[in-house]
Amino acid sequence: MKKEKTPSDSKTVSTHVVLPNDTNTLGNLMGGKLLHWMDAAAAVCAHRHAERVVVTASVNHVAFNHAIKVGDFVTLEAKVARAFTSSMEIYIDVMVDDHKTNDRKKCQEAIYTFVAVDQYGNTIDVPQLNPETEEEKSRFDDALKRKQLALLLAGKIKPDAATEIKALFE
């Protein structure tokens, strides 16, 4: 296992066509179906980074910004935003290709957290992440803020320990 990886080392791309069975009564992709696709893409990405079994720890953020219609092509791009000790934040961009115009636009995004585990379900260390692009660096920095906020809200750290959150208000 490498000690350090880049987001492109584990980047995962999957494309799906929205079929009638995937839609609600309005002909829009059901949110649960998209969540399933995102969870699967994020799991593959996290597994590639950790090179071990991974489990979903949380769905930190999902934004349904645009309806996806029957017949559209949906492309999910999952990348590790940051690796901590045993957990990884996976950022997923969801693009849709309009089947009538072939126009592609970003319509959703999500942030999942995965944890690497051994054969007994115990957490194990994962390689650190070396972001390369400006977007990857920004997501890397933001991931620490999100983690500290989650730990603070869960009562797992004291406010003084949330240095990234405190810095936002100084």
Side-chain angles (χ1 to χ4, degrees):
M1 180 185 333
K2 289 184 185 178
K3 289 195 178 259
E4 188 175 277
K5 293 185 174 183
T6 65
S8 60
D9 289 332
S10 55
K11 177 180 168 180
T12 300
V13 178
S14 64
T15 302
H16 307 268
V17 61
V18 179
L19 300 173
N21 195 43
D22 301 324
T23 63
N24 60 24
T25 55
L26 298 174
N28 297 328
L29 178 64
M30 289 186 286
K33 187 66 163 187
L34 182 58
L35 288 170
H36 172 79
W37 290 344
M38 289 189 292
D39 191 42
V44 170
C45 178
H47 179 87
R48 286 177 173 164
H49 183 81
E51 299 177 8
R52 297 296 296 259
V53 172
V54 296
V55 294
T56 308
S58 68
V59 179
N60 305 16
H61 172 77
V62 178
F64 296 106
N65 299 320
H66 181 271
I68 301 172
K69 299 288 186 186
V70 67
D72 287 345
F73 301 117
V74 179
T75 301
L76 298 92
E77 182 178 294
K79 284 180 158 182
V80 179
R82 188 160 186 155
F84 295 97
T85 305
S86 61
S87 67
M88 298 150 283
E89 183 181 277
I90 312 299
Y91 204 102
I92 306 161
D93 291 308
V94 180
M95 308 299 287
V96 65
D97 295 349
D98 183 302
H99 68 282
K100 295 174 188 159
T101 65
N102 288 326
D103 290 334
R104 175 177 275 197
K105 64 180 169 184
K106 181 175 175 179
C107 62
Q108 272 90 11
E109 61 186 19
I111 300 169
Y112 281 62
T113 301
F114 279 79
V115 175
V117 296
D118 64 16
Q119 65 271 27
Y120 305 107
N122 300 313
T123 61
I124 56 173
D125 290 353
V126 299
Q128 291 305 299
L129 189 74
N130 182 21
E132 299 175 304
T133 69
E134 289 306 311
E135 178 180 63
E136 290 168 356
K137 290 174 184 176
S138 175
R139 288 178 176 181
F140 181 89
D141 292 340
D142 292 345
L144 181 56
K145 294 171 190 156
R146 282 187 289 274
K147 180 171 183 160
Q148 285 187 359
L149 181 59
L151 292 171
L152 182 65
L153 292 173
K156 294 183 178 181
I157 63 171
K158 302 275 186 209
D160 287 346
T163 55
E164 296 294 316
I165 304 302
K166 283 174 52 176
L168 293 173
F169 298 99
E170 295 176 347

